[in-house]
Structure formats: structure tokens, C-alpha cells
Amino acid sequence: MNALTKAGKLAKAGTVLAAATLALAACGGSDTSDASSSNSGTASAASSESSGKSVCIIGGADAFFAVVKNGADAASLAVQDAGTDYTWMPLPTYENIGPDMVKLIQQAVSNGCTSLALPDWVPDAENPAIADAMDSGLSVVLYNAGGEPEVENTGALGYFGTDEYEAGKAAGEYLAENGATNVICVNTSPGSVNIEARCDGTKDGMEANGGTADQLVLPGKSFGDAAAISNAVKGALSQDPSIDGVMTISSADADAAAAGIQQAGSDALAGSFDISENILNRISDGSQLFAVDQQGWLQGFLAVSAAWQYDQYGILPATNIILTGPALVTADNVDQIVAGVKTGQR
């Protein structure tokens, strides 16, 4: 089974399992696009008195999490209709991710959240704070980062997201299948377990197919810094012309890496995690090989739905690890994805 087929089956399986969490969440879409703004919703006119419950979700600080927030906001319509409060809690930046996540978890407790969804990016820092939150009575679900290992370590109710290592492996295999022999994985969030897993998987996928891959590690403050990323990629390609593949860990970094490849005059194949309109345009015109899609809208929707349903009704899906990816977006299927970007679901 090749990487694309395997990735597609994983995503399909996650979506089928996810249906169990939707029984009470008849939700509409949302086109909210600002991942940096806090949002505490107001119950609709159809709801009765407050349930005394409060669903909170911690999100990241980039364009991907604007899409996650759209999904979370869509799920919040059912949440608020039942009289439950809803709050989106954004991470300010990725420069001090561990301590900042701890502060947000503690803030969720002090603000009276009764359920909490969050990524477990830095388990060494976050897990003690998650344990304290659960001891305070919060129902906690993980999404986007952490996976099965951190569900077991924390006792969280479940995980909604991709298997980051398998996603990276699928990327490495696809790069190798398309002719890449020497790949760099540009890591602008060193220390984040999900990002390390992406690059580790890329390396293993390449090596399993006769190639090689190494990380190009940049400081966390470089995440989304176009000049820093493009200069680093240009420098790496100029220094080692044998590099024929560049993998970026987010849509925020992909545009800058593409510019760096062009500035270096390189024909390196480009791949990225996550999608954006620019990424899809490059895939369409052939200047980017593929992107790894983890369906951020679905992550936000399922995380809020599951946290609320358990907190308010004691409902849990039969499977507590629900995968939303990986799936590869290539020239073969890119046209199907474009519409969702314009309306905020992709």
C-alpha cells in the first residue's frame, strides 16, 4: 500500500469514527477567520436558562488555527443553544509555547471552564497543568497534538487529530516516489512533539525508499517569519545543491520556503503540512508537489463537540482516538479542495 492510499484510508477511517460525536451537534458553518481573537459566545434565543457549563478551547497563533476556530465556532452553535458558554482561548505566539500553554490551562481553570480542549504540544510542560485542571473537575480532550501517548499519560478523554509521525512518513514516501533523494524538513517550532514527529516521519519515509532527510532547525521566533525562512532555505540549497526536496511544517512557512527555493534557482520539490489558497495554487500550477492535510476545521469541530457532550451529557464515542488525517493533496485532487478554502473549512 503506497503512502497516498494509506493516508487516504486513515483519514476516511477517522471521519467514519467521528460520526459518533455528532449525534447532538447539528451545527452550521462559520467563516470566522481571526485565530488571534478570543470569542465567548452568547446562547441563541432558542436556548433556555444557562446549564452552568462552560466549554473552552485553546488554539494556536497562525492561519491554520483560523480554520480550526471556524470548526470550533460551528460546533459552538449547538453548545450555546443548550445554554452552555463557549470561549476560544488563543496562544499569543509560538516563541514561548510551553509556559504560555501552562498559563492558558491555568486561566481556563480560574475562569470557570468545566471542559477544555487543547493541543498537547509540550507534554513535559503541559501535562502537570492538565493533571491539575482535571483534578479541579475539568473534562479534558486533546486535539491536534498529543495523540494516543499523551491520552494515556494524562488520562484525557480522547484525541482528535492526525498521527503526526505517519503523516510525515507519508510525506517522505511521496517525495521519494517522485524523485527526491535528499530532503530538508524546515522546523520552526523545535521542541514541539508533533513537529518533531512530522520531521522524524519524513526522514523515515525517505530512508525507507532509498533517500535521506535532515532537519533544518530554526528558532521558534522564525515560525511565520518569511524573511528568516526564505533566507535559511535559500542558504541551505545554495550550500548543498544535492538537496532536491524541501518540506515545511505549516502553511505559514510554506510561502517563504517556496520563495527561498526560487531565489536559490533550485528545482527542489516542495511539500508542506497544512493547506492554504497559495499552497493549492502552487500545487495546481506544478510549482509545489503536494501538501499534507490534517483537516483543521474537523479537529476544532470534533474537539468542542466531544468536550461539551461528555461534560453535559456523559456522551463519549466508542473510540477515543479519532484521526482527521493524514491525506495528501496533490495535482490529482486539488480541485476538490479549493472551494473549502474560500469558505473557511479547509
Side-chain angles (χ1 to χ4, degrees), residues 58 89 100-110 116 118-119 125-127 129-133 138:
I58 297 174
M89 303 173 66
D100 283 347
M101 284 297 291
V102 170
K103 290 178 183 177
L104 285 173
I105 295 167
Q106 293 170 342
Q107 181 181 330
V109 175
S110 64
L116 176 65
L118 77 161
E126 292 180 56
N127 285 4
I130 291 172
D132 289 343
L138 274 72

Side-chain angles (χ1 to χ4, degrees), residues 4 174 178 280 283-284 288-291 327-337:
L4 181 56
Y174 195 70
N178 283 272
L280 296 178
I283 294 173
S284 294
Q288 179 165 329
L289 181 63
F290 72 102
L328 302 188
V329 179
T330 70
D332 293 332
N333 60 8
V334 65
D335 290 343
Q336 298 174 344
I337 311 298

Side-chain angles (χ1 to χ4, degrees), residues 27-198:
C27 301
S30 169
D31 62 358
T32 303
S33 59
D34 182 4
S36 65
S37 63
S38 180
N39 177 31
S40 182
T42 303
S44 74
S47 67
S48 58
E49 63 185 46
S50 172
S51 69
K53 302 292 186 179
S54 178
V55 178
C56 299
I57 177 170
I58 297 174
D62 58 79
F64 172 78
F65 275 93
V67 177
V68 173
K69 184 177 185 295
N70 288 345
D73 287 353
S76 80
L77 299 181
V79 170
Q80 295 173 83
D81 204 47
T84 296
D85 292 332
Y86 161 74
T87 304
W88 171 266
M89 303 173 66
L91 190 72
T93 70
Y94 293 117
E95 293 183 29
N96 199 33
I97 187 169
D100 283 347
M101 284 297 291
V102 170
K103 290 178 183 177
L104 285 173
I105 295 167
Q106 293 170 342
Q107 181 181 330
V109 175
S110 64
N111 286 356
C113 301
T114 57
S115 61
L116 176 65
L118 77 161
D120 197 356
W121 283 306
V122 189
D124 287 348
E126 292 180 56
N127 285 4
I130 291 172
D132 289 343
M134 294 174 68
D135 288 344
S136 298
L138 274 72
S139 303
V140 174
V141 299
L142 306 181
Y143 79 97
N144 183 257
E148 185 172 5
E150 300 313 323
V151 168
E152 294 178 357
N153 289 336
T154 62
L157 296 171
Y159 171 74
F160 303 88
T162 194
D163 183 318
E164 300 287 18
Y165 173 80
E166 291 295 336
K169 188 175 180 182
E173 290 173 350
Y174 195 70
L175 282 162
E177 289 169 5
N178 283 272
T181 60
N182 182 10
V183 170
I184 53 172
C185 183
V186 184
N187 186 348
T188 55
S189 188
S192 297
V193 292
N194 62 322
I195 302 305
E196 299 289 346
R198 291 178 178 185

